[in-house]
Amino acid sequence: MRWVTANPGRRGSLLLGAAPLLVLALAYIIAAAARHADNPADKILPLPGAMASAMAGLLFEPDQLSGQYLFWADTIASLWRLGAGLGIATLSALLVGLALGALPPVRSTLGPLVTGIAVIPPVALLPILFIVFGLGETAKVALIVIGVAPFMIRDVAGHIGALPREQVVKALTLGANSWGVILRVALPQALPRLFEGLRLSLGPAWVFLISAEAIAADVGLGYRIFLVRRYLAMDVIIPYVAWIALLAVVMDLALSRGSRRLFGWAHLGAR
Amino acid sequence: MLSLRNVWVEYGDKVVLERISLEIAEKSFVSIIGPSGAGKSSLLRVILGQEQPTRGRITLDGGLLPTECGPDRGVVFQRYSVFPHLTVLGNTLLGLEFAASPLTARLFGSARRAAVAEAEAMLEQVGLADSRHLYPAQMSGGMQQRLAIAQALIKRPRILLLDEPFGALDPGIRGDMHALITRLWREHGLTIIMVTHDIKEAFGLGTRVLTLDKRRHDPHAPQRYGAGVVYDLELTRKQAEKQAAEAADEALGITIDTKVNN
């Protein structure tokens, strides 16, 4: 057996994949235990028990001030913002990207604008968004949209623009008009790419969400992390970060599974 | 049927084709051969409507050829002729769907069932009836080209254009495809223009072989002169065979000796 041809198999892959996670968890617990042996009141590396009890308060007890279950309120607020931002970005990527990719006159007209917007660091626009949209939900959703939509638009447009010219000619000889080419040739081939673009945009979208929440919010996962930072509350921050990671992984898996199920043809070569 | 009068194709300074004048008869099978860069594919693209000639006029059935690709001219390319996101049946149906509903480009209900029946009959003819639910990525190159032919033929084009359709296939498969295209050409009374690199294929299939090459060459400005038709061979024997076969078709039930002197 050579390393480059080794195939660990399904169970082997699972075990191998889990090993680094376990090692990391174990290393953390050893380090935390060592610190607690020196100083039982250590806050930097809380023990799992401390994290559990801190989280239990947020999970199961309503907040005295607002009467909300903070963890769930944070999760719902963040997911709503993320969903709205990614939804708008995806829709605009589909519409604009398709038009840009399939219609050369539209590409000439809007291409430079989209490129121009894409090169602006989105966080630099955050003050403008806060001034224009106020400190409410709109500004946060807008930041996510501005952050990820240009990438997705350019990705879809590039993919559609790179479809073999033969396909368009063939469709025309089959009696299609421009709309027919967009609807039956470009759109179906754009969708799997859109899913892929959305998957790759999840990471940046979370960055923009947490940034916006850190700066101005009164609820949300990012807001909570930056709030409890003031009290050095690692027992809340670490579980929150883990929860964000879990949500992101689930979304990523759901998108890749969904793409495989909906667009099986696009994954035939990669099996 | 198709007539080209003094057609020139130029890309800026570069002359690709010059003084092309051709009359292409109905139900003929024209093979176009010639060295690389002699403008074989350019000629095909001009007839297809994908490119415009810089000079000259092309008429189809007496009327000026539409300057856009349309359903009167079908095409099969060497690659990328079929849509990867549609099944074999979906690929074949597509032409019928475009024609039936310009807005949704889809068919429903009984219209769809009729179209599916038509598409399946066409797939039967190219030998893909059992593969109707496969995607192109699951098929061999030969099967994909069969599908591309079925997809084009379902529109009943006046002319079928083939751009090196069998160039990427294995020799054995190529032989099968030759038999298939000859059969379809006879059965459907097609007019076919085929560009190929393979001289044997050109003579084996065609009733007429055109050779494109540069008539003149200026070594200091190789782009100055374009290619023209240097040989135009009518393969009359095959014409005779074909007419005999047609006569046999018309005189159904009557025994006719279809064998020709050779």
Side-chain angles (χ1 to χ4, degrees):
Chain A
M1 186 204 76
R2 293 182 193 278
W3 282 96
V4 288
T5 54
N7 183 5
R10 211 179 155 77
R11 276 189 60 196
S13 291
L14 239 105
L15 281 174
L16 286 174
L21 294 176
L22 290 176
V23 169
L24 208 64
L26 199 65
Y28 176 84
I29 289 170
I30 292 171
R35 279 185 77 99
H36 278 265
D38 287 347
N39 170 18
D42 178 64
K43 295 195 79 172
I44 306 299
L45 296 183
L47 286 165
M51 286 194 242
S53 63
M55 286 308 292
L58 294 167
L59 275 160
F60 307 118
E61 288 162 28
D63 181 44
Q64 286 166 354
L65 206 61
S66 61
Q68 287 179 314
Y69 295 88
L70 288 179
F71 175 81
W72 300 112
D74 287 340
T75 303
I76 290 168
S78 285
L79 285 183
W80 187 86
R81 289 164 189 151
L82 196 71
L86 284 174
I88 295 171
T90 306
L91 201 68
S92 61
L94 191 62
L95 296 177
V96 182
L98 211 54
L100 278 180
L103 306 171
V106 176
R107 194 181 317 157
S108 305
T109 315
L110 294 181
L113 176 68
V114 172
T115 310
I117 294 175
V119 297
I120 301 172
V123 178
L125 290 176
L126 196 54
I128 299 179
L129 297 177
F130 279 142
I131 291 168
V132 174
F133 297 116
L135 298 178
E137 298 299 300
T138 321
K140 301 180 194 68
V141 173
L143 179 69
I144 297 174
V145 173
I146 290 182
V148 301
F151 161 74
M152 291 172 71
I153 288 173
R154 294 172 83 194
D155 190 49
V156 169
H159 182 67
I160 295 305
L163 287 182
R165 192 84 205 130
E166 285 90 337
Q167 286 193 6
V168 176
V169 173
K170 180 87 188 193
L172 294 176
T173 66
L174 293 178
N177 47 27
S178 293
W179 170 245
V181 174
I182 291 182
L183 193 65
R184 295 301 310 274
V185 178
L187 173 65
Q189 299 193 68
L191 286 176
R193 186 67 176 214
L194 190 68
F195 268 60
E196 194 61 37
L198 186 56
R199 265 183 75 195
L200 294 176
S201 295
L202 279 178
W206 275 105
V207 172
F208 298 129
L209 174 73
I210 305 291
S211 315
E213 287 180 343
I215 293 169
D218 49 16
V219 66
L221 296 169
Y223 163 75
R224 194 69 52 200
I225 292 176
F226 276 79
L227 182 74
V228 301
R229 171 193 63 103
R230 295 174 197 169
Y231 316 114
L232 223 62
M234 291 289 272
D235 51 354
V236 172
I237 294 176
I238 292 173
Y240 260 65
V241 171
W243 174 237
I244 290 173
L246 185 69
L247 287 175
V249 167
V250 168
M251 287 180 199
D252 186 84
L253 269 178
L255 281 172
S256 85
R257 287 279 169 84
S259 177
R260 275 179 181 279
R261 176 153 298 184
L262 292 170
F263 317 115
W265 61 268
H267 303 280
L268 287 174
R271 215 174 263 168
Chain B
M1 181 178 83
L2 180 76
S3 131
L4 287 79
R5 301 261 166 70
N6 193 29
V7 168
W8 291 61
V9 175
E10 290 156 280
Y11 300 128
D13 255 359
K14 188 175 178 342
V15 182
V16 177
L17 292 171
E18 59 177 44
R19 291 187 289 140
I20 304 279
S21 292
L22 285 172
E23 294 289 336
I24 289 168
E26 185 140 22
K27 300 189 181 178
S28 55
F29 193 134
V30 181
S31 307
I32 301 177
I33 50 175
S36 296
K40 302 186 295 290
S41 292
S42 289
L43 180 59
L44 206 73
R45 280 200 294 271
V46 164
I47 297 174
L48 183 60
Q50 194 183 346
E51 283 176 17
Q52 300 311 313
T54 36
R55 281 184 246 173
R57 45 187 274 141
I58 306 176
T59 55
L60 178 63
D61 296 325
L64 263 186
L65 193 77
T67 54
E68 293 279 346
C69 312
D72 50 351
R73 284 151 291 160
V75 68
V76 174
F77 295 106
Q78 183 174 4
R79 293 169 64 198
Y80 308 123
S81 279
V82 293
F83 299 105
H85 60 285
L86 294 173
T87 60
V88 166
L89 187 62
N91 264 294
T92 320
L93 274 177
L94 195 60
L96 300 174
E97 290 178 315
F98 279 137
S101 57
L103 201 64
T104 58
R106 278 178 198 282
L107 288 167
F108 303 98
S110 61
R112 183 178 164 82
R113 279 195 293 279
V116 167
E118 193 181 340
E120 284 181 345
M122 184 54 75
L123 288 174
E124 190 81 45
Q125 289 191 40
V126 297
L128 286 178
D130 298 331
S131 318
R132 71 193 75 167
H133 297 303
L134 292 184
Y135 284 99
Q138 295 166 309
M139 306 199 302
S140 68
M143 287 165 86
Q144 290 187 22
Q145 290 306 75
R146 282 168 192 268
L147 174 58
I149 293 169
Q151 191 183 31
L153 284 188
I154 205 154
K155 295 297 286 180
R156 315 267 165 219
R158 294 287 288 133
I159 308 177
L160 180 62
L161 302 165
L162 308 176
D163 192 355
E164 300 189 27
F166 315 125
L169 305 181
D170 300 333
I173 306 289
R174 206 184 289 189
D176 295 346
M177 295 298 289
H178 289 168
L180 173 75
I181 196 76
T182 307
R183 201 186 79 229
L184 291 172
W185 169 62
R186 288 226 171 97
E187 284 174 3
H188 290 255
L190 298 170
T191 308
I192 296 182
I193 302 178
M194 177 181 73
V195 163
T196 178
H197 269 304
D198 185 340
I199 295 179
K200 205 173 141 225
E201 179 176 276
F203 281 88
L205 293 179
T207 57
R208 181 177 175 187
V209 177
L210 297 175
T211 308
L212 294 185
D213 203 354
K214 296 193 176 191
R215 297 190 192 93
R216 299 172 287 178
H217 187 76
D218 183 344
H220 299 292
Q223 80 282 8
R224 188 62 196 85
Y225 296 115
V229 178
V230 292
Y231 294 107
D232 183 352
L233 305 171
E234 291 277 356
L235 305 182
T236 45
R237 198 193 92 200
K238 208 177 291 162
Q239 287 286 46
E241 261 177 35
K242 180 168 169 282
Q243 275 159 12
E246 270 171 17
D249 287 345
E250 281 163 20
L252 276 173
I254 303 168
T255 316
I256 285 183
D257 188 1
T258 56
K259 212 171 175 185
V260 225
N261 284 338
N262 49 0

